[in-house]
Amino acid sequence: MRAPRSRTAVRGPYAKLVVSMCSAVLTAMLSSCSADLPVQRESQQADGHVLTGRYSIVCVIHGDGDYVYHDNDGSEYAADEKALAAVQQVAQRNPRADVFVFHQRPRSHVLFLFPLRDGDFYYYRDGKLVTELSYWRDQEQSRFDAEVELYRRFREDNLGEMMNVFLYCGHEIPEAGGVGYDASYPDRSFTVHDLAGRLEDFTRDSTRFDLVVLSTCFGGTPHTIGTLGPFARYIIASPDNLHLSYFDLHSLERLDVSVPGGDVLALAKQFAQHAFDRLTGDVQTAVSVAVYDVERTRDFVRSVRGMYDHALTTVSGETQASITTMEHCDCADIPAYVLPAINEGVDVFYRPARFGRLKHKQSHSGWECWRERAPRGAGSQITGGAGK
Amino acid sequence: MKGTNMRSRRIYGAIVMMCVLALTAFAGGKGELQKYFSNAAAKVKATDDPSEKRAILTNSFQTMSKALDMVQQSPSISKEDGVRIDLVKATLQEKQDELAGMNGYVRVPDAQLNAFSHYVVQDMEQADQMITISLVTLLLVIILIVLIV
């Protein structure tokens, strides 16, 4: 079969041109398969003297899944692309920051055969793009090996003197199971424990992140905060659903002006308030943004760990049964969770959905739990408030 | 002979149409399903007549439910997808109930129908049952919706 096709090509009027173009394309594609040559588009060097950054932002954007959403005019957006644009703007508007952006994209191929790199990395220093390159994400376990390696290659040594922020944009990070989180790697799992391990890798010299922002659904659970807590001083997360337009990132621009004294809690509250205002203006579903002071939430997390883990075991048990029997809810709706420490260390910005069963729910404790699915039917629109 | 030719053409045409629909659906993936509700919201917004707005929304819920029913009956659907489809159907039923003011829900006021249509779009985009339904099942739903409409 090969010979006739080859002869036909050679006999064609533009045979040499076609052959040389194919060779060039194949060479380019094959060289892109090489694992030891990750740099596709190498750097634009920031000109002039590089100032020592006082802020460091590491941002991971998960784009390997279903991330399409529509605005009120019906326009369609890819959430990961929008998040990338937003964080690049943050990077450009921080004259005293190192910003590391990792965009995890779906796996794709040229001509169904030749794989393309499925991660993009951007490194900004003092508002200027220093390096932009494509890389291979982990092909087996999701260990962020490539991301951690790139981070270590470019980061400055004086992390301890900087305000360190970690930002994750993506779908709800599973607390157990986690298989299928990456659409391109359906057998691979990713859980909040995996993310905690990666935070440990990013902060290997025992420097905790000052602020971790989880721009995901259901990030504000006792388990998630407890698992990520050892690697963060403050965490911003949404205990309920979070619209795919994500948290607004404008509060992270010009950190040198907005938090000159390095007041992380003030920054966190300002960020949460701004994100909340923006979401409530655009979204009809519930909006919840919470700031967790990790040290102060420790007692509550420890107190409810047994109960929560028990519920989580049910959720992660037999898949079918858990889908039908368990659902998310405000922890304050479960009497056993309503402990004196439930409000300790949590600042909550909450507005219920404009419609639906919970439209009259006036407050949220800031903690999301699991419970048996409530029966639907008559009188199901909740009229009372709960929690903080 | 002529009848046989006509039947062959129809079968061939149906296969071609299915392939085109499948390719379109595959290209858009789950976004196609979200677009379905987004298009319904655009139609709701485009009319000033509240009863017409309600009819558009009701019709969109019923069409989706019908497509889900048909897909659920397919032997190729996994048990897990079947369970998730049940949950999506329950969510759609709740929205229908709220629109009509049934089963304990307060009827959505006429002045809030545009906002309600946006709520439906956003809620379905966020629904974890929707996100976790397999792509193959969703493609079937999309194709059926196109055929039903």
Side-chain angles (χ1 to χ4, degrees):
Chain A
M1 287 298 285
R2 284 178 186 171
R5 209 161 48 202
S6 171
R7 278 200 297 272
T8 306
V10 172
R11 282 173 189 168
Y14 300 108
K16 284 184 181 173
L17 180 62
V18 169
V19 168
S20 58
M21 281 176 69
C22 287
S23 302
V25 169
L26 279 171
T27 306
M29 286 188 299
L30 290 173
S31 65
S32 78
C33 299
S34 168
D36 57 352
L37 289 171
V39 179
Q40 206 167 53
R41 300 182 297 276
E42 195 54 79
S43 75
Q44 306 163 11
Q45 289 296 330
D47 46 9
H49 178 65
V50 177
L51 297 170
T52 303
R54 291 178 54 206
Y55 306 91
S56 168
I57 300 173
V58 179
C59 177
V60 175
I61 300 167
H62 184 257
D64 189 3
D66 170 34
Y67 285 102
V68 174
Y69 71 91
H70 297 80
D71 67 8
N72 291 345
D73 295 326
S75 302
E76 188 177 287
Y77 299 98
D80 55 322
E81 298 290 348
K82 291 283 285 180
L84 177 64
V87 79
Q88 284 178 322
Q89 186 165 307
V90 166
Q92 288 160 4
R93 295 187 181 175
N94 266 306
R96 302 207 58 186
D98 282 356
V99 183
F100 306 81
V101 186
F102 301 96
H103 183 201
Q104 301 179 326
R105 293 186 289 101
R107 189 166 54 173
S108 60
H109 295 78
V110 174
L111 302 175
F112 303 103
L113 289 174
F114 305 102
L116 296 170
R117 288 185 173 84
D118 51 6
D120 288 333
F121 169 64
Y122 307 86
Y123 171 52
Y124 289 82
R125 181 178 292 163
D126 302 331
K128 291 176 181 162
L129 180 66
V130 175
T131 297
E132 175 186 0
L133 57 85
S134 298
Y135 65 94
W136 297 106
R137 290 163 56 200
D138 298 323
Q139 303 297 301
E140 301 294 334
Q141 288 301 102
S142 187
R143 294 188 307 264
F144 284 18
D145 283 348
E147 287 85 352
V148 171
E149 193 272 330
L150 286 166
Y151 171 71
R152 287 182 179 165
R153 195 197 301 177
F154 290 97
R155 74 164 192 183
E156 293 193 17
D157 291 330
N158 57 340
L159 274 181
E161 299 162 19
M162 303 167 82
M163 180 188 285
N164 298 301
V165 178
F166 180 86
L167 176 64
Y168 184 89
C169 299
H171 283 309
E172 171 189 2
I173 304 171
E175 296 185 303
V179 174
Y181 191 81
D182 290 290
S184 301
Y185 303 91
D187 298 329
R188 187 161 83 183
S189 69
F190 181 66
T191 66
V192 71
H193 295 275
D194 294 312
L195 179 61
R198 306 304 71 83
L199 291 184
E200 187 173 19
D201 290 338
F202 279 120
T203 61
R204 66 175 171 175
D205 50 3
S206 78
T207 307
R208 286 198 296 178
F209 281 101
D210 295 295
L211 179 63
V212 168
V213 180
L214 294 180
S215 198
T216 71
C217 293
F218 304 115
T221 74
H223 187 85
T224 296
I225 300 302
T227 305
L228 302 182
F231 312 104
R233 288 174 61 204
Y234 297 95
I235 297 175
I236 297 173
S238 173
D240 206 320
N241 263 314
L242 175 66
H243 189 255
L244 275 174
S245 52
Y246 294 136
F247 292 148
D248 188 283
L249 302 182
H250 280 98
S251 302
L252 295 179
E253 294 174 10
R254 290 308 306 257
L255 289 171
D256 56 327
V257 175
S258 58
V259 277
D263 186 343
V264 183
L265 182 57
L267 168 67
K269 286 183 179 176
Q270 181 186 313
F271 179 101
Q273 178 73 64
H274 189 72
F276 177 79
D277 291 344
R278 182 70 188 272
L279 283 165
T280 49
D282 294 342
V283 172
Q284 302 293 326
T285 47
V287 178
S288 62
V289 187
V291 179
Y292 304 84
D293 180 335
V294 171
E295 288 299 322
R296 292 176 58 206
T297 60
R298 195 161 284 172
D299 283 347
F300 175 73
V301 169
R302 195 181 296 129
S303 303
V304 302
R305 182 175 295 151
M307 274 188 291
Y308 193 91
D309 286 352
H310 180 71
L312 202 54
T313 306
T314 309
V315 172
S316 59
E318 194 185 342
T319 318
Q320 264 185 63
S322 63
I323 293 168
T324 48
T325 59
M326 302 295 283
E327 67 177 358
H328 286 286
C329 72
D330 181 353
C331 292
D333 293 342
I334 305 173
Y337 282 88
V338 186
L339 303 171
I342 190 169
N343 295 331
E344 184 68 26
V346 191
D347 286 290
V348 189
F349 301 82
Y350 176 74
R351 191 216 64 194
R354 296 283 192 208
F355 303 93
R357 282 189 310 126
L358 301 177
K359 77 173 190 177
H360 296 301
K361 181 177 166 59
Q362 292 304 309
S363 58
H364 195 291
S365 68
W367 296 104
E368 195 77 355
C369 285
W370 291 96
R371 70 171 170 200
E372 288 192 22
R373 193 170 285 278
R376 305 290 193 261
S380 58
Q381 245 171 343
I382 288 174
T383 52
K388 192 174 178 181
Chain B
M1 191 65 183
K2 196 176 176 182
T4 312
N5 278 343
M6 276 301 287
R7 199 194 311 168
S8 303
R9 279 182 194 170
R10 280 180 185 161
I11 292 170
Y12 179 73
I15 291 170
V16 169
M17 194 170 79
M18 290 294 281
C19 288
V20 169
L21 286 173
L23 281 172
T24 310
F26 187 75
K30 295 178 183 179
E32 286 296 318
L33 212 53
Q34 294 160 358
K35 198 183 284 180
Y36 169 77
F37 287 111
S38 179
N39 289 343
K43 287 177 192 165
V44 167
K45 209 172 165 183
T47 178
D48 293 329
D49 182 359
S51 58
E52 202 175 328
K53 287 177 192 280
R54 287 182 195 279
I56 292 165
L57 286 165
T58 304
N59 190 41
S60 71
F61 295 141
Q62 287 174 349
T63 303
M64 175 65 80
S65 295
K66 197 172 172 184
L68 291 169
D69 277 336
M70 290 167 79
V71 168
Q72 213 170 12
Q73 286 163 12
S74 164
S76 62
I77 299 303
S78 70
K79 282 183 182 175
E80 284 188 8
D81 273 355
V83 170
R84 291 186 182 109
I85 286 174
D86 271 336
L87 292 174
V88 174
K89 279 161 56 183
T91 305
L92 288 172
Q93 186 58 51
E94 283 184 3
K95 287 173 176 45
Q96 282 195 77
D97 289 346
E98 188 166 11
L99 182 65
M102 293 162 59
N103 289 326
Y105 282 96
V106 177
R107 189 172 189 257
V108 177
D110 287 349
Q112 293 181 18
L113 287 168
N114 286 359
F116 182 72
S117 69
H118 293 144
Y119 165 75
V120 172
V121 173
Q122 291 164 359
D123 197 51
M124 296 312 286
E125 283 174 348
Q126 288 173 182
D128 40 4
Q129 309 94 0
M130 209 69 159
I131 290 167
T132 49
I133 288 178
S134 72
L135 187 58
V136 174
T137 303
L138 281 176
L139 293 181
L140 283 174
V141 176
I142 293 162
I143 289 168
L144 282 169
I145 286 172
V146 173
L147 292 176
I148 292 169
V149 173

